[in-house]
Amino acid sequence: MSVRTLPLVFINLGGEMLYILDQRLQALNTSEDNSEKGVWSENDRKRVMNDIVGTLFSKDFMDELLKPQQLYSHRTMKTVLTRIAHASIMRLNPASMDRLYELMVMALKYQVFLCPRPKDLLLITYNHIDTVREFVKDTPVLVNQVDETHRKIIEVYSSLPEGEFQLLRQTLLIFFQDLHVRVSLFLKNQAQNPNGRFVLSTSGPVPHGVDVPGLIRTFDSKGREVRRREFPTGGSYTSPIRKGCFELHGDRVLRLGINMYTVNHPEETHTSKTPSVKTGDTPNLLAKEELNLLARLMGSMKAENRPKTESGFRINLFTTDQEEEEAVASGAEQSMFGVINIQAMQDEQAATELARIAGEFAEGEEQPENPSSSSKGDDLLAMMDDL
């Protein structure tokens, strides 16, 4: 397992979180039929983005991340990202944060899968940093924070050997291997199967520095080519495109990691239980299902810790609370797969019994030899409380 994975994961996941929040906040602010329009302003959106970027790219936080260490668990990762999201004037309930985390992780998993070379993981990270820098371009202090973090990443990772990048990629794939959440954008582009697994193309340009497959060359003992033979590759491969820029500014060439939510149809950029296509006057079930899930994602946002002169905001994607509740309740019925509803939180007796069983397992576990390993991430969380 690579001990250099953590900074890249946080920057990329943080970038994806900012993409999603920015797209939804902008869509709500420009929607003519949204009943919540006017409850909050464009300044609120910018403040949310600035607060999150300022926390994510703070010097103390990045210095802690850049220390060689093992990758955190999903639980710890989600906890830290929740703290970062709540550094702004909004709040997300646990269910909403779970959905947001799934969107972030699936987007990054797709990017890692399509990454041409292990070292190109840096280009994905730089694409995220470049876009975040654009988000806060009107705030010089935050631009300087992002640039300083970018310089540190270049300093740490530019000298790593190819083998370390391969280990880093392997660590990321292990981290993502059990997550198969369906995302409507991937489903519509046929980049994901209904079971949540990605479809990898066998065509396109090969990685930089790699020859197009399909030719076998034979050499003699003196190194002279004596024979050539072609073979079918099973795909349509082309020559590699030019090498991307690994400096502070420049053309990354690789498109992975850019904001995939800045499209003409934002309703196609969110998770969905099942894909659907609108034809004629038939209602678009996919759009309704996406709104159901977006309601879970954004519907519980509220302001806290604001001066009394400032009013908080709650974003509602439906006309009324009753309509929202009915839509959310009907969301699971439109899935092509069976859904089992488990009311665990309402069954106090069952929850108590599960807690007792979990406690027995915990008591029987052996204590780790290194006490600090059991609190991985605690120092980071404690430091964030002071930010």
Side-chain angles (χ1 to χ4, degrees):
M1 302 287 282
S2 174
V3 295
R4 293 293 186 183
T5 311
L6 194 61
L8 300 189
V9 172
F10 267 108
I11 291 175
N12 289 308
L13 288 181
E16 291 297 326
M17 177 172 65
L18 288 166
Y19 294 171
I20 297 168
L21 294 178
D22 180 72
Q23 192 276 335
R24 289 314 309 152
L25 293 175
Q26 286 201 48
L28 289 169
N29 193 40
T30 57
S31 175
E32 295 183 357
D33 4 286
N34 195 320
S35 63
E36 297 296 326
K37 185 179 179 182
V39 174
W40 65 286
S41 66
E42 176 66 10
N43 289 334
D44 290 322
R45 183 192 68 83
K46 291 182 178 180
R47 181 175 174 181
V48 169
M49 302 299 289
N50 288 348
D51 289 344
I52 294 177
V53 172
T55 303
L56 178 63
F57 289 89
S58 64
K59 182 179 183 302
D60 292 340
F61 182 64
M62 279 299 159
D63 287 345
E64 184 69 25
L65 288 182
L66 286 169
K67 296 177 181 178
Q69 54 190 305
Q70 295 294 331
L71 187 60
Y72 295 168
S73 66
H74 282 288
R75 180 177 181 180
T76 302
M77 197 79 68
K78 189 189 304 179
T79 301
V80 177
L81 288 168
T82 301
R83 299 280 184 89
I84 294 175
H86 289 176
S88 66
I89 58 177
M90 70 176 184
R91 291 296 180 268
L92 294 171
N93 64 23
S96 299
M97 191 63 208
D98 287 346
R99 176 59 60 184
L100 178 60
Y101 183 76
E102 289 174 349
L103 286 167
M104 294 151 49
V105 170
M106 290 304 293
L108 183 55
K109 178 180 180 179
Y110 181 68
Q111 294 160 16
V112 173
F113 269 32
L114 295 188
C115 186
R117 302 177 302 166
K119 188 175 182 179
D120 289 338
L121 290 171
L122 288 181
L123 294 179
I124 296 177
T125 304
Y126 296 166
N127 276 333
H128 281 103
I129 294 177
D130 291 343
T131 308
V132 171
R133 185 187 292 112
E134 187 66 20
F135 282 150
V136 296
K137 63 182 179 181
D138 297 328
T139 310
V141 174
L142 295 179
V143 173
N144 290 336
Q145 280 186 234
V146 174
D147 286 345
E148 183 60 28
T149 297
H150 200 164
R151 292 188 185 96
K152 290 179 180 178
I153 295 296
I154 293 175
E155 179 183 350
V156 171
Y157 289 89
S158 60
S159 60
L160 293 183
E162 292 293 335
E164 183 65 28
F165 281 110
Q166 178 61 39
L167 183 60
L168 196 153
R169 180 178 181 273
Q170 183 180 0
T171 303
L172 286 174
L173 292 176
I174 294 174
F175 180 71
F176 294 134
Q177 66 180 351
D178 295 325
L179 297 172
H180 307 290
V181 181
R182 296 186 298 277
V183 179
S184 65
L185 179 63
F186 297 144
L187 290 169
K188 281 201 162 192
N189 293 336
Q190 298 183 344
Q192 190 179 30
N193 290 321
N195 62 4
R197 298 183 182 274
F198 290 119
V199 178
L200 301 182
S201 174
T202 56
S203 302
V206 298
H208 182 78
V210 176
D211 294 330
V212 177
L215 178 65
I216 298 176
R217 296 186 297 170
T218 305
F219 298 86
D220 60 16
S221 58
K222 296 182 179 180
R224 293 174 299 190
E225 183 178 333
V226 295
R227 187 176 58 181
R228 288 191 173 195
R229 183 168 63 90
E230 296 183 353
F231 66 93
T233 61
S236 178
Y237 298 100
T238 59
S239 300
I241 53 180
R242 65 187 184 282
K243 186 177 181 181
C245 177
F246 287 84
E247 302 301 325
L248 189 65
H249 301 284
D251 186 3
R252 312 300 177 193
V253 179
L254 188 69
R255 306 299 293 167
L256 298 174
I258 63 174
N259 191 350
M260 66 178 181
Y261 300 101
T262 53
V263 294
N264 294 329
H265 304 285
E267 71 275 4
E268 299 180 358
T269 61
H270 302 281
T271 56
S272 173
K273 293 290 185 182
T274 174
S276 177
V277 179
K278 182 176 181 179
T279 56
D281 296 329
T282 304
N284 190 342
L285 300 181
L286 175 59
K288 181 177 180 181
E289 181 63 23
E290 287 164 344
L291 287 174
N292 295 342
L293 293 171
L294 285 173
R296 300 177 197 170
L297 175 64
M298 303 294 293
S300 62
M301 294 174 60
K302 60 182 180 180
E304 293 185 6
N305 300 325
R306 303 182 75 183
K308 293 184 178 179
T309 56
E310 293 183 307
S311 59
F313 63 88
R314 178 181 183 273
I315 298 177
N316 188 356
L317 299 177
F318 295 85
T319 306
T320 64
D321 290 338
Q322 180 180 0
E323 184 179 355
E324 179 178 352
E325 293 172 359
E326 291 175 354
V328 172
S330 64
E333 298 175 2
Q334 299 174 11
S335 173
M336 67 169 61
F337 299 97
V339 177
I340 301 175
N341 294 319
I342 303 176
Q343 303 295 337
M345 296 302 295
Q346 299 179 6
D347 194 339
E348 185 175 349
Q349 181 178 359
T352 304
E353 181 65 15
L354 288 173
R356 182 188 66 79
I357 295 174
E360 292 177 357
F361 278 107
E363 292 174 0
E365 292 180 352
E366 296 182 0
Q367 296 297 324
E369 296 180 1
N370 183 5
S372 62
S373 63
S374 62
S375 58
K376 183 170 64 173
D378 289 350
D379 293 340
L380 191 60
L381 291 172
M383 182 199 67
M384 292 187 66
D385 290 334
D386 299 330
L387 292 177

